[in-house]
């Protein structure tokens, strides 16, 4: 089993809050320099800046490097730009740190011992076979589950609705979709998982007999159920098909002929 360690200022390797990999982390101290009086506010590139650079008389190779730098800034991710300015005196910044993941090379921001960016997910890692848009719902739910278990449950219900559509159902009425999947031979355990996420997620949107205000643990269990559903309905069939695809073509035709006859 792969090693797993939660992000911490006391560790030199932990599960990256960006890519999820257990990886070495480079810790970085920060220094500060007050901005010039002529440019007091932070520089955030906009389309006007891009246009001015493209229309400038800079050499093309300089333009390309500048535009690439602006594009990197526009993503909102932290990045470095080395500057040699030996005459300036820099202030050390305390209690504000960066950590850089060795695997994905992205930076995380820490204040004292608290990770402030990216927002850490309280959910178990998502099944990576989930379709991208469903994976986004899962990860967003993980980011808000501590503050809003009800909101997280509602997002997971939406993920189940999308998952039913991904599996060929209508995607508009979850009850009808689950009933259709049952007729197609859905595993009873997976059906229970689908219904649990459906009902609890629905109660989150329309509060009724189930109160999720303080039910963080219930919401966390929903993440596990979504992973179980993805494992049974997406991952397992994928693995079986991959293995079946390794059978020589002649033997596959023989099997198909046998099953067809």
């Amino acid at each position: 089993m792969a090693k797993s360690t939660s992000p911490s200022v006391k560790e030199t390797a932990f599960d990256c809050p960006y890519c999820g990999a257990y990886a070495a982390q480079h810790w970085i101290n920060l220094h500060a320099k007050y901005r010039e009086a002529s440019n007091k506010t932070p520089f955030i590139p906009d389309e006007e800046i891009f246009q001015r650079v493209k229309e400038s008389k800079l050499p093309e190779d300089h333009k390309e490097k500048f535009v690439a730098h602006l594009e990197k800034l526009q993503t909102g991710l932290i990045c470095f730009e080395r500057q040699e300015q030996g005459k300036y005196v820099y202030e050390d910044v305390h209690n504000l740190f960066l950590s850089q993941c060795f695997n994905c090379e992205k930076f995380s921001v820490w204040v004292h011992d608290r990770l402030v960016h990216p927002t850490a997910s309280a959910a178990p890692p998502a099944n990576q076979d989930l379709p991208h848009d469903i994976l986004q719902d899962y990860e967003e739910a993980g980011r808000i589950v501590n503050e809003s278990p009800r909101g997280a449950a509602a997002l997971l219900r939406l993920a189940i609705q999308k998952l039913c559509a991904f599996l060929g159902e209508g995607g508009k009425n979850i009850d009808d979709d689950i009933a259709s999947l049952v007729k197609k031979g859905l595993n009873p355990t997976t059906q229970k998982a689908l219904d649990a996420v459906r009902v609890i997620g629905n109660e989150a949107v329309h509060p009724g007999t189930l109160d999720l205000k303080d039910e963080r643990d219930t919401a966390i269990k929903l993440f596990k159920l979504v992973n179980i559903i993805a494992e049974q309905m997406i991952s397992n069939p994928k693995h079986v098909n991959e293995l079946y695809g390794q059978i020589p073509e002649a033997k596959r035709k023989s099997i198909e002929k046998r099953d067809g006859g």
Side-chain angles (χ1 to χ4, degrees):
M1 186 175 178
K3 188 172 181 179
S4 178
T5 301
S6 298
S8 169
V9 293
K10 297 181 179 180
E11 302 291 343
T12 55
F14 49 71
D15 300 340
C16 174
Y18 281 103
C19 67
Y22 175 78
Q25 302 289 325
H26 303 295
W27 284 100
I28 301 160
N29 290 331
L30 300 178
H31 307 283
K33 179 175 74 74
Y34 287 100
R35 300 188 66 86
E36 301 289 341
S38 60
N39 192 13
K40 292 183 178 180
T41 58
F43 175 65
I44 307 294
D46 55 23
E47 290 305 316
E48 182 183 349
I49 295 291
F50 276 91
Q51 195 61 35
R52 282 164 54 189
V53 171
K54 290 174 183 177
E55 293 174 355
S56 71
K57 296 181 180 180
L58 287 170
E60 287 302 318
D61 58 336
H62 287 194
K63 277 188 188 181
E64 289 178 8
K65 289 179 181 179
F66 198 2
V67 168
H69 178 64
L70 293 174
E71 288 174 343
K72 189 182 291 186
L73 291 177
Q74 206 171 41
T75 66
L77 295 174
I78 296 166
C79 56
F80 285 171
E81 180 184 15
R82 186 178 297 276
Q83 294 185 6
E84 300 293 337
Q85 294 179 319
K87 65 178 181 179
Y88 290 106
V89 175
Y90 292 91
E91 303 283 350
D92 286 333
V93 179
H94 297 291
N95 275 331
L96 179 61
F97 313 103
L98 299 181
S99 60
Q100 183 182 27
C101 174
F102 180 80
N103 183 59
C104 70
E105 299 186 342
K106 290 181 179 177
F107 295 93
S108 299
V109 183
W110 301 74
V111 174
H112 192 53
D113 61 353
R114 183 167 58 93
L115 176 65
V116 297
H117 179 78
T119 306
S121 174
N127 183 312
Q128 292 302 302
D129 287 329
L130 283 168
H132 180 67
D133 61 330
I134 300 175
L135 189 61
Q136 286 184 314
D137 291 335
Y138 183 103
E139 291 174 344
E140 181 180 349
R143 289 192 293 271
I144 69 170
V145 67
N146 286 333
E147 291 76 22
S148 177
R150 178 171 287 169
L155 274 170
L156 293 175
R157 181 186 186 277
L158 175 63
I160 292 301
Q161 189 168 345
K162 290 180 179 179
L163 184 58
C164 288
F166 174 78
L167 295 168
E169 303 303 327
K172 295 182 179 179
N173 185 302
I174 301 181
D175 277 319
D176 292 344
D177 292 344
I178 294 175
S180 175
L181 289 168
V182 169
K183 289 179 182 178
K184 295 175 181 177
L186 180 67
N187 181 307
T189 302
T190 309
Q191 177 196 341
K192 289 180 181 178
L194 280 166
D195 279 321
V197 180
R198 172 185 65 83
V199 171
I200 295 172
N202 187 60
E203 292 291 340
V205 180
H206 307 290
T209 58
L210 183 67
D211 187 359
L212 266 179
K213 283 183 180 177
D214 301 311
E215 287 293 333
R216 177 183 177 278
D217 289 343
T218 300
I220 292 295
K221 288 174 184 175
L222 295 184
F223 289 100
K224 296 177 181 178
L225 289 180
V226 170
N227 279 334
I228 289 171
I229 294 164
E231 183 71 20
Q232 294 293 325
M233 303 177 78
I234 301 176
S235 300
N236 285 349
K238 184 185 81 170
H239 298 326
V240 170
N241 288 333
E242 287 174 353
L243 190 60
Y244 185 78
Q246 294 177 17
I247 298 175
E249 185 178 358
K251 292 189 179 295
R252 284 206 311 271
K253 287 182 178 179
S254 176
I255 293 170
E256 290 160 7
K257 183 178 179 181
R258 177 201 67 191
D259 295 341

